[in-house]
Amino acid sequence: MRRTALLVSAALLTGLLPWATARAADDPAPVPVDRFEGEVPFASQPAEGIFTWGGDSDDPPALRLAARPDAPEGEKVLAGSYDISGYGGLTHDYAATQPAHDWSAHKGIRFWWDGRGNGKKTAFEIKDGGANGEASELWTTSFTDDFTGWKQIEIPFTDFTYRTDYQPVGGIDHVLGLTQMWGYSVTLPTGVKGTFAMDDVELYGKADPSLRASVTTDSAVHPVKEGGTATVRVTLSTTGATPVDEPVTVTYETTATGTATPGKDYTPVSGTLTFPAGTASGASRTIKVHTLKDRTAESAETIPLKLTVTGAKAPAETPQIVVDAHGLPYLNSKLPVRKRVADLVSRMSLAEKTGQMTQAERGAVGNGGDIAAYDLGSLLSGGGSTPTPNTPGAWAKMIDAFQLRAQATRFQIPLVYGVDAVHGHNNLVGATIMPHNIGIGATRDPRLAQRTGNVTAAEVRATGIPWDFAPCLCVTRDERWGRSYESFGEDPALVRSMETMIQGLQGRADGSDLDRNDKVLATAKHFVGDGGTEYGSSTTGTYKIDQGVTKVTRQQLEAVHLSPYQTAVDRGIGTVMPSYSSLDILGDGRGPVKMHARADMINGVLKGRMGFDGFVISDWNAIDQLPGDYASHVRTSVDAGVDMMMVPYGYKDFATTLTDEVKAGRISEKRIDDAVSRILTQKFRLGLFEHPYADTTGAAKIGSPAHRAVARQAAAESQVLLKNSGGLLPLRKNQKVYVAGSNADDIGDQTGGWTVTWQGSSGNIVPGTTILDGMRRDAGTITYSKDASAPLTGYDVGVVVVGETPYAEGVGDVGNGHDLQLSAADQAAVDKVCAAMKCAVLIVSGRPQLIGDRLGKIDALVASWLPGTEGDGVADVLYGRRPFTGQLPVTWPRSEAQLPINVGDTSYDPQFPYGWGLTTLTKTPRGDTPTLRALAAAATVAERTGADETGRRLVTKARLIVQNQVGQRMTPAVAKPFAEADHLLLTGRYGQAARKLLEAYRAA
């Protein structure tokens, strides 16, 4: 029966084909791009070929040329299967060694698609200009698979838009020229497992004249004060900048379809602009619209300006003149913020309120028209979502364009734009990239943590961004977690001490500094327990531990995971982001519950008991992980206390669903008003109503020597000296040094994940200095051989820099393609160099790496963490310009079997304990048992009298004495009290800390 149906379908299709491919007599013949008969191989650049790609190893589709009796053309089709969690698809690139192709004679591109009727959108891109298929401009559109069987998809070139969320090389000319084409790409749907087939890609039809000339306006929105005159500039552009062959006319008229009243709010205008034949590309004309004063306070009003274009492509949308809102109490900056908020909320419609609770991704809103259409309150850049080119000016211009769109809303509520600047303004090429938080925790320097926050805030705000999704206050309890490096450490006391970073980002705790041009709204994340998830508990894709379940007693929850958030609230944190993970409080009978659904924790603990008065922002699409249908996702999370939803590409569905739930009475209007009031409060504090656009006066300081000096100091202080036999470090400038290892000269590895892109990448991705660069500035003679293949004789010392390659979040979970072992190449480099000479090994990584039996062959060992762009800081301590002072923020295990292992564990036998860190200070304190007893007595007095600085100094002296005594003779009897002493120090119990160190000394 199936076979019969197939044959009938094929026969019917054969009969239809001549009609389907019919063309007008004056149309050029179709030009084949792909027949899929084997004429184009499966190959990639620089050769011509078809190839697949994806977000990770699981995402690329599987392709084959399949013989099918129902093939629309020829004998074969391109068929494949896919199961994509991130992104993936296929590309046909023309040969980079041959000239690009000219598609300009044709109307568009078409192909046959075997529909599955799944309702999913499939993106189709073409590649225009540039050096080759992988260095071209991307122009995109999509079609919906809402049919079954073969269908010819025709896409006119006029349907393609410049891709705003990603460009491989930045903007070339932002003009679809069609004269230098390099091929096409298909991006397959995510979140659905399926198969596809396509056939006969070809160019069709006669070129649309509007492709050669277009009319644009300087902006889609033109705000003007009441009584002022708006000027709309109309510009003619042509492909290749050639003059127009035929006249282009633009007829214009103000229409009464806006909210402004003709004759009362403005003087209507109409007329025609003419660009005669021969007019050069770039020529412009202006239209002026005069507004009228009526002396009454009112909201913003719109005046659409209809444009009718002949002879060229018209603007994509009708420009609007907006008469600014004026005279209303919420606009009065002299009123208290609470009164401004109350006034504005009282005027807003339900749709406007739900819009404020909605956050979309910049790439999803395209040119920004939906900002006003949905009254959006916020946009964000996900990791790697950047403007092109990726420069400070382009960021500011992009955000200003989005803010301009918000001016077309009734109350002109500005957007609050957010970005993950988790170690500097890490999405921006050229920014100062700090060590990741794990390295900041190693510095044990709260003042320095605050200074890194100062720099980050200044660089972020100078690009027009007022909101940072940082810092992460997670307490990492298992180094198999792919987010370990986002944590300051495994001890909540250490995390609390580093929260000075909040003041660096936001300024004073009362929020009075937020309107400064060098401060941003900060975010404490991820509430709560994200660092305590149990290995193997994650149900997200191939993740092992990230987004899993944290199983704790209520006492453990309070002591370990919640305590940093009370500190954050006391420091005035402006926003809090819940965790993807689930919380299972043992004994409460509820089992694991996703944090975005835990009203007891968000409403009860955070907003209630802790007194948090900012707003709660969800994580990326996090509500989709809740049980039930979408309406229940929305209802549950909003009622749990989440005020704004990060729904990057689903913002329309969210806004509609939230509105429906309120209208149906399933979510109270009181809850909506609370959420919106919290959001608006922060917008007023940020000064966005008075200054919505970017203040770029600080842009010149981005990546400046002064900022990099802070990062360099942080990199130096983050270095933890774990072993230093014979005083090998610091190096001397007159030594001949042999440098090897994968991470010695790789700034991408050195900066780690969340650098330019979400996952980060190896290679020369950002400006800065590698560790090798820094060493070369300090040393006399250096030989570098990455794989240690160069001759090894004649050197005084070897420095081998090894470690991890970048990753982020659950992608970096151990067991998800990662482990804690050095790579085979790194192991070989260590073995070769350390067998030939005295050697120091530096481990550049986001978490401890297992050294095992190699430790005995290594003379000096350094935990370098992920030091950021300033490799000079690492060289500073290697060569003694600064002493090693860093301490382990996490326990360094002997084996993976020990994990999780943390300070305070009953059984504790690490390779190096929490808090360990040798020093190269010239005057290292010496002493014995009587010395330590005296230090303990003095520390107790300091504790009682509140002399914190003295207490810390005394305990540090005791720690250095103990480390000198212990050397490499680490035992559980030494490690346990040693680690606990550092925890006691951080909690201000100086006497007990010193007595614990005495206990460790006696056990050594």
Side-chain angles (χ1 to χ4, degrees):
M1 186 173 177
R2 279 185 179 178
R3 176 66 177 166
T4 304
L6 179 63
L7 290 173
V8 171
S9 174
L12 179 62
L13 183 63
T14 302
L16 289 175
L17 278 176
W19 172 84
T21 57
R23 60 187 177 89
D26 59 345
D27 281 359
V31 173
V33 178
D34 264 324
R35 298 178 63 244
F36 302 118
E37 300 298 310
E39 77 284 4
V40 177
F42 292 120
S44 56
Q45 295 279 289
E48 179 175 5
I50 300 166
F51 59 92
T52 62
W53 40 267
D56 57 42
S57 59
D58 296 329
D59 286 343
L63 300 182
R64 70 187 190 281
L65 297 178
R68 283 184 44 170
D70 64 340
E73 189 278 336
E75 302 294 328
K76 298 177 182 178
V77 302
L78 180 68
S81 59
Y82 60 91
D83 184 8
I84 298 168
S85 57
Y87 61 90
L90 62 103
T91 288
H92 173 186
D93 273 357
Y94 292 136
T97 56
Q98 300 295 319
H101 292 220
D102 187 345
W103 293 0
S104 63
H106 294 273
K107 179 179 181 178
I109 189 167
R110 67 189 179 193
F111 51 90
W112 289 89
W113 189 265
D114 189 9
R116 300 295 191 265
N118 58 26
K120 295 287 185 178
K121 283 191 174 182
T122 297
F124 192 89
E125 291 178 354
I126 54 178
K127 303 185 172 193
D128 177 59
N132 56 61
E134 298 307 289
S136 58
E137 277 190 345
L138 303 181
W139 291 74
T140 187
T141 188
S142 66
F143 65 93
T144 302
D145 189 341
D146 56 2
F147 55 92
T148 56
W150 289 108
K151 178 180 178 180
Q152 191 172 46
I153 308 295
E154 289 194 344
I155 308 175
F157 290 131
T158 52
D159 285 1
F160 286 91
T161 59
Y162 181 81
R163 185 169 169 181
T164 58
D165 59 331
Y166 170 73
Q167 287 289 340
V169 294
I172 297 171
D173 58 10
H174 295 244
V175 174
L176 180 57
L178 295 171
T179 58
Q180 289 186 298
M181 303 303 295
W182 291 105
Y184 66 88
S185 295
V186 177
T187 302
L188 293 164
T190 61
V192 56
K193 187 175 183 179
T195 59
F196 77 95
M198 66 184 298
D199 198 14
D200 191 25
V201 183
E202 65 181 12
L203 309 176
Y204 75 95
K206 184 179 180 180
D208 188 326
S210 67
L211 281 170
R212 301 187 183 276
S214 61
V215 168
T216 59
T217 59
D218 52 341
S219 174
V221 179
H222 294 78
V224 60
K225 293 187 182 300
E226 187 187 46
T229 298
T231 301
V232 180
R233 182 173 295 278
V234 179
T235 301
L236 175 69
S237 299
T238 64
T239 299
T242 56
V244 289
D245 296 329
E246 303 290 337
V248 174
T249 60
V250 181
T251 301
Y252 63 88
E253 62 174 326
T254 52
T255 70
T257 56
T259 57
T261 303
K264 175 178 177 290
D265 297 312
Y266 67 97
T267 302
V269 298
S270 62
T272 300
L273 305 176
T274 301
F275 296 92
T279 301
S281 179
S284 63
R285 308 282 189 271
T286 58
I287 302 168
K288 294 185 180 294
V289 179
H290 301 283
T291 67
L292 306 173
K293 280 194 173 184
D294 58 13
R295 300 181 181 277
T296 59
E298 52 194 352
S299 57
E301 296 171 317
T302 57
I303 308 166
L305 181 64
K306 181 181 178 182
L307 303 179
T308 303
V309 179
T310 303
K313 185 177 181 180
E317 56 187 304
T318 299
Q320 290 190 85
I321 291 89
V322 180
V323 183
D324 288 338
H326 54 277
L328 300 173
Y330 78 89
L331 295 169
N332 184 355
S333 61
K334 295 179 180 179
L335 287 178
V337 167
R338 60 181 177 79
K339 288 190 175 182
R340 298 178 74 183
V341 170
D343 176 69
L344 180 51
V345 172
S346 72
R347 299 174 185 278
M348 295 170 69
S349 68
L350 177 58
E352 288 164 334
K353 292 174 183 177
T354 58
Q356 285 303 299
M357 296 173 66
T358 308
Q359 184 183 63
E361 218 285 334
R362 58 170 285 279
V365 298
N367 61 13
D370 278 352
I371 292 169
Y374 289 87
D375 291 289
L376 295 179
S378 181
L379 296 182
L380 84 152
S381 279
S385 177
T386 66
T388 51
N390 189 354
T391 62
W395 276 93
K397 182 179 179 181
M398 173 189 73
I399 292 167
D400 282 356
F402 289 141
Q403 287 288 18
L404 184 61
R405 291 288 187 162
Q407 295 299 299
T409 61
R410 191 161 64 118
F411 297 113
Q412 299 182 305
I413 303 173
L415 297 164
V416 58
Y417 197 102
V419 67
D420 286 278
V422 298
H423 63 138
H425 195 356
N426 43 258
N427 280 299
L428 171 65
V429 173
T432 307
I433 304 301
M434 301 291 171
H436 270 293
N437 282 355
I438 195 79
I440 300 298
T443 69
R444 296 298 200 280
D445 189 340
R447 292 188 185 92
L448 181 58
Q450 181 167 341
R451 291 177 65 205
T452 65
N454 289 338
V455 170
T456 299
E459 297 198 358
V460 169
R461 196 69 183 257
T463 57
I465 300 169
W467 185 13
D468 185 2
F469 304 133
C472 186
L473 302 185
C474 47
V475 183
T476 179
R477 306 294 283 178
D478 190 333
E479 278 60 63
R480 291 172 291 188
W481 187 36
R483 300 194 88 138
S484 293
Y485 62 75
E486 292 188 51
S487 173
F488 292 117
E490 70 185 35
D491 182 354
L494 175 58
V495 175
R496 290 196 303 269
S497 73
M498 293 294 111
E499 290 185 52
T500 50
M501 186 179 285
I502 293 171
Q503 262 56 67
L505 293 168
Q506 290 195 168
R508 285 174 286 191
D510 63 1
S512 59
D513 289 335
L514 283 173
D515 61 351
R516 285 173 37 177
N517 68 358
D518 61 350
K519 293 299 171 192
V520 294
L521 194 66
T523 308
K525 63 183 189 184
H526 304 89
F527 186 81
V528 61
D530 53 337
T533 48
E534 188 176 80
Y535 190 82
S537 66
S538 181
T539 57
T540 301
T542 56
Y543 292 7
K544 298 299 181 183
I545 185 168
D546 189 36
Q547 304 185 21
V549 180
T550 298
K551 296 181 181 179
V552 286
T553 65
R554 189 163 291 278
Q555 182 181 9
Q556 289 169 331
L557 175 66
E558 295 283 349
V560 177
H561 300 290
L562 271 173
S563 64
Y565 287 91
Q566 184 63 68
T567 302
V569 171
D570 294 343
R571 288 186 172 277
I573 194 76
T575 61
V576 171
M577 181 183 291
S579 177
Y580 280 117
S581 58
S582 299
L583 180 61
D584 185 356
I585 303 176
L586 302 178
D588 73 353
R590 297 182 64 185
V593 179
K594 284 284 185 181
M595 276 308 308
H596 282 73
R598 292 214 67 136
D600 59 327
M601 301 305 300
I602 300 173
N603 285 330
V605 175
L606 178 66
K607 292 181 175 180
R609 190 184 82 194
M610 291 183 179
F612 173 62
D613 64 0
F615 70 88
V616 176
I617 170 71
S618 86
D619 210 332
W620 179 283
N621 277 337
I623 65 170
D624 290 348
Q625 297 187 4
L626 301 182
D629 60 16
Y630 190 69
S632 71
H633 296 171
V634 173
R635 187 168 59 249
T636 300
S637 54
V638 171
D639 284 344
V642 184
D643 302 303
M644 181 186 285
M645 296 298 170
M646 189 185 292
V647 279
Y649 293 89
Y651 59 92
K652 296 177 184 179
D653 289 341
F654 170 75
T656 301
T657 304
L658 178 57
T659 301
D660 290 345
E661 289 296 293
V662 177
K663 287 180 177 178
R666 289 185 288 268
I667 298 176
S668 72
E669 290 198 43
K670 181 180 179 182
R671 169 68 190 108
I672 299 300
D673 286 352
D674 170 60
V676 175
S677 295
R678 288 170 175 270
I679 293 163
L680 293 177
T681 295
Q682 300 302 338
K683 290 187 175 184
F684 280 118
R685 286 177 174 173
L686 285 163
L688 294 177
F689 281 83
E690 288 71 45
H691 304 287
Y693 302 114
D695 180 346
T696 59
T697 53
K701 296 180 180 178
I702 294 173
S704 65
H707 285 185
R708 291 185 182 275
V710 175
R712 179 174 180 168
Q713 181 182 347
E717 291 191 24
S718 72
Q719 303 300 294
V720 180
L721 184 58
L722 300 172
K723 179 181 180 181
N724 194 24
S725 296
L728 181 65
L729 297 178
L731 303 173
R732 299 185 303 277
K733 290 189 176 182
N734 61 357
Q735 287 178 305
K736 293 183 67 177
V737 182
Y738 187 102
V739 180
S742 61
N743 286 347
D745 195 32
D746 194 311
I747 204 161
D749 289 356
Q750 187 177 300
T751 50
W754 287 107
T755 308
V756 183
T757 59
W758 173 41
Q759 291 293 316
S761 60
S762 300
N764 189 23
I765 62 171
V766 288
T769 57
T770 65
I771 294 171
L772 179 64
D773 291 334
M775 292 180 67
R776 281 176 168 155
R777 296 181 188 182
D778 280 306
T781 303
I782 279 190
T783 295
Y784 170 60
S785 176
K786 181 176 180 179
D787 60 357
S789 59
L792 292 158
T793 56
Y795 295 93
D796 299 307
V797 62
V799 175
V800 191
V801 188
V802 295
E804 296 185 301
T805 54
Y807 54 80
E809 299 188 34
V811 176
D813 286 351
V814 167
N816 189 21
H818 295 265
D819 57 40
L820 299 181
Q821 304 285 345
L822 297 179
S823 70
D826 278 347
Q827 291 180 28
V830 170
D831 291 345
K832 288 166 72 173
V833 174
C834 293
M837 65 193 80
K838 290 183 178 180
C839 71
V841 174
L842 278 60
I843 299 179
V844 173
S845 64
R847 53 195 169 192
Q849 302 292 282
L850 301 175
I851 301 302
D853 56 8
R854 282 185 171 79
L855 184 59
K857 303 170 187 176
I858 296 170
D859 297 289
L861 180 65
V862 179
S864 288
W865 309 114
L866 298 169
T869 50
E870 306 314 299
D872 281 330
V874 181
D876 285 342
V877 292
L878 285 179
Y879 279 92
R881 184 179 287 111
R882 289 180 180 271
F884 278 94
T885 56
Q887 296 175 248
L888 283 180
V890 293
T891 300
W892 198 283
R894 294 183 187 275
S895 69
E896 192 173 320
Q898 290 184 312
L899 297 174
I901 182 171
N902 295 287
V903 56
D905 287 355
T906 303
S907 177
Y908 191 72
D909 183 23
Q911 189 107 62
F912 299 103
Y914 169 78
W916 184 264
L918 305 176
T919 186
T920 51
L921 287 164
T922 52
K923 293 183 179 180
T924 305
R926 303 283 176 174
D928 51 17
T929 298
T931 308
L932 291 170
R933 283 202 191 103
L935 289 171
T940 301
V941 172
E943 181 181 338
R944 288 174 182 167
T945 59
D948 291 331
E949 193 162 332
T950 299
R952 287 191 290 267
R953 180 176 51 79
L954 292 167
V955 175
T956 298
K957 183 176 182 180
R959 176 178 64 85
L960 295 175
I961 290 171
V962 173
Q963 287 183 160
N964 186 64
Q965 171 71 10
V966 171
Q968 295 301 303
R969 302 184 305 278
M970 190 61 63
T971 65
V974 171
K976 185 173 172 59
F978 184 94
E980 291 171 356
D982 199 60
H983 170 73
L984 291 165
L985 166 65
L986 287 164
T987 55
R989 291 173 284 179
Y990 309 123
Q992 293 180 58
R995 286 191 290 275
K996 281 288 183 182
L997 288 168
L998 176 58
E999 181 184 336
Y1001 182 88
R1002 286 171 170 166

